[in-house]
Amino acid sequence: CLRVSLQDILDAETKGRWWMVGASWTGKQHNSQQVDSLEAESDEDCQDADGNEPENEDKLIALASSQRMNTDNRRAIFCIIMGSTDYDDAFEKLVRAGMLKPKVERDVIRVLVHCCGEEKAFNPFYGYLAMRVCEYQRKSNFTLTLTFWDTFKQMDTFPVRKVANLAKLLALLVGGRDGQYLNIGVLKRIDFSPSEIQENIAIFLTIFMTTLFESSDEDRIKSVFTYDTAAATAPKKKKKKAYDFFDSEDEEDDEVKGKGKASQKEDLGELRESMAVFLLQYLKSSPKNAEGTQFHENFTAALTICEQTK
């Protein structure tokens, strides 16, 4: 078993990925005094921590494997995210490790969303980290959209805790600055038909809408529900023997190619009609929808916008 430390991952851009077959490594180019000094510092750190730091790294690597992080990149990203002190620390380490380069960042988004879903309770850390990643690498916005589309396909298999975490994550991202991260169009892949909607999808949408209404002002809600996003018509779905959340890069490439051909705004009128039906059926009678509350004001604003589409 290779012992790849977090520092090895962070130094990968300058020293190489020595743990990968055929990869180059420049670590030996340092003179022996530098190496001895680094080893001495490492020994001191281990002694100061009473062995806790190496033990924590081992636990992170073991946890990464248990969470189906089955590539070097995904394991490295997982260890960075879970081992960081805050979202700024995580972002800086991801940049230093070269994990936010084009296409490589796709794994960052997918690992981030996966970790958010697995938490015992929603942690906004993942939302703020996703925002930093999107601000740094603009293509990550579309990767986020595709990742949520993937989760919708599997939603009926998720425990309620995971459904709630992902709903709150989406609400945080959609409620961000004027659709800079995600917009309401991400919901267009959901079947809102009362006779077809899955129980977990209904729970997801209820928590998503509730979180959005409670955390935003009326102007922001109006901006969210009137947004029309530029996107291409989705390509025909490819049949797969087994669907894997972490193995949809080829589908993402196809989606991106199709997206690049779009030149006009997509009409989200049909989506808003569906949302109006959902709001009336699931949220109108909610105890939170009491007159005079922020929830009620935002619910009314959203419903009015959605019904105007009819």
Side-chain angles (χ1 to χ4, degrees):
C1 165
L2 293 175
R3 294 180 62 84
V4 184
S5 70
L6 184 57
Q7 192 60 45
D8 288 328
I9 296 168
L10 296 177
D11 293 338
E13 288 300 300
T14 56
K15 294 186 178 180
R17 294 173 170 79
W18 61 265
W19 60 90
M20 296 178 65
V21 176
S24 61
W25 182 55
T26 60
K28 288 294 185 181
Q29 294 177 10
H30 294 281
N31 62 48
S32 59
Q33 290 182 344
Q34 289 174 312
V35 173
D36 291 341
S37 176
L38 288 173
E39 288 179 347
E41 290 177 6
S42 177
D43 289 341
E44 290 176 4
D45 290 341
C46 290
Q47 290 173 1
D48 291 341
D50 293 327
N52 289 335
E53 188 172 337
E55 182 180 347
N56 287 339
E57 288 186 4
D58 288 342
K59 287 181 179 179
L60 281 176
I61 293 172
L63 185 58
S65 298
S66 71
Q67 293 293 318
R68 296 189 300 119
M69 304 298 153
N70 53 5
T71 68
D72 289 329
N73 269 358
R74 290 168 189 164
R75 281 190 289 269
I77 293 165
F78 180 89
C79 290
I80 289 173
I81 291 176
M82 301 306 293
S84 298
T85 56
D86 55 35
Y87 65 89
D88 283 327
D89 181 43
F91 172 75
E92 291 170 4
K93 288 177 179 176
L94 289 170
V95 173
R96 285 169 52 197
M99 296 299 180
L100 295 183
K101 294 180 178 179
K103 292 193 175 181
V104 179
E105 48 77 34
R106 296 177 184 178
D107 275 339
V108 173
I109 294 297
R110 293 185 178 277
V111 171
L112 183 155
V113 172
H114 173 82
C115 291
C116 179
E118 294 300 312
E119 292 282 1
K120 293 182 179 179
F122 175 65
N123 188 341
F125 161 87
Y126 297 102
Y128 295 127
L129 177 57
M131 290 178 183
R132 290 296 307 274
V133 172
C134 288
E135 290 166 358
Y136 181 86
Q137 178 57 265
R138 295 298 298 170
K139 292 182 179 179
S140 296
N141 297 56
F142 194 60
T143 301
L144 259 176
T145 299
L146 293 179
T147 302
F148 272 101
W149 288 352
D150 290 342
T151 64
F152 297 158
K153 298 174 185 177
Q154 307 171 73
M155 193 69 73
D156 61 330
T157 66
F158 293 165
V160 174
R161 168 188 50 78
K162 184 170 184 176
V163 172
N165 286 349
L166 295 178
K168 292 176 181 179
L169 174 64
L170 184 60
L172 181 59
L173 294 171
V174 170
R177 290 177 285 176
D178 298 323
Q180 179 179 352
Y181 309 111
L182 286 179
N183 59 72
I184 203 70
V186 71
L187 300 178
K188 68 182 181 179
R189 290 295 182 88
I190 291 179
D191 186 350
F192 283 81
S193 305
S195 60
E196 299 292 335
I197 195 166
Q198 301 170 357
E199 181 180 2
N200 273 5
I201 288 291
I203 293 172
F204 175 88
L205 291 171
T206 299
I207 296 174
F208 166 75
M209 297 289 187
T210 299
T211 304
L212 198 60
F213 292 161
E214 290 184 324
S215 61
S216 306
D217 59 32
E218 188 173 343
D219 288 339
R220 184 72 199 108
I221 290 298
K222 289 179 179 178
S223 177
V224 167
F225 281 84
T226 55
Y227 188 92
D228 284 332
T229 182
T233 302
K236 293 181 179 179
K237 297 180 181 179
K238 295 181 180 180
K239 292 184 178 180
K240 296 184 179 181
K241 293 182 180 180
Y243 186 83
D244 191 333
F245 174 79
F246 282 110
D247 293 329
S248 55
E249 283 82 358
D250 291 337
E251 181 181 343
E252 181 165 341
D253 285 330
D254 292 340
E255 295 266 14
V256 171
K257 290 176 183 176
K259 182 175 182 286
K261 298 177 182 177
S263 58
Q264 72 278 5
K265 289 280 187 178
E266 182 183 10
D267 182 10
L268 295 180
E270 186 176 342
L271 172 61
R272 278 190 279 269
E273 286 184 27
S274 298
M275 288 194 293
V277 174
F278 182 86
L279 290 171
L280 289 171
Q281 184 173 359
Y282 287 91
L283 290 180
K284 184 178 181 180
S285 59
S286 170
K288 295 179 179 292
N289 192 27
E291 288 192 21
T293 63
Q294 182 178 355
F295 182 100
H296 179 72
E297 292 178 1
N298 287 335
F299 170 87
T300 303
L303 181 61
T304 300
I305 293 169
C306 291
E307 287 185 326
Q308 287 174 348
T309 308
K310 295 182 179 181

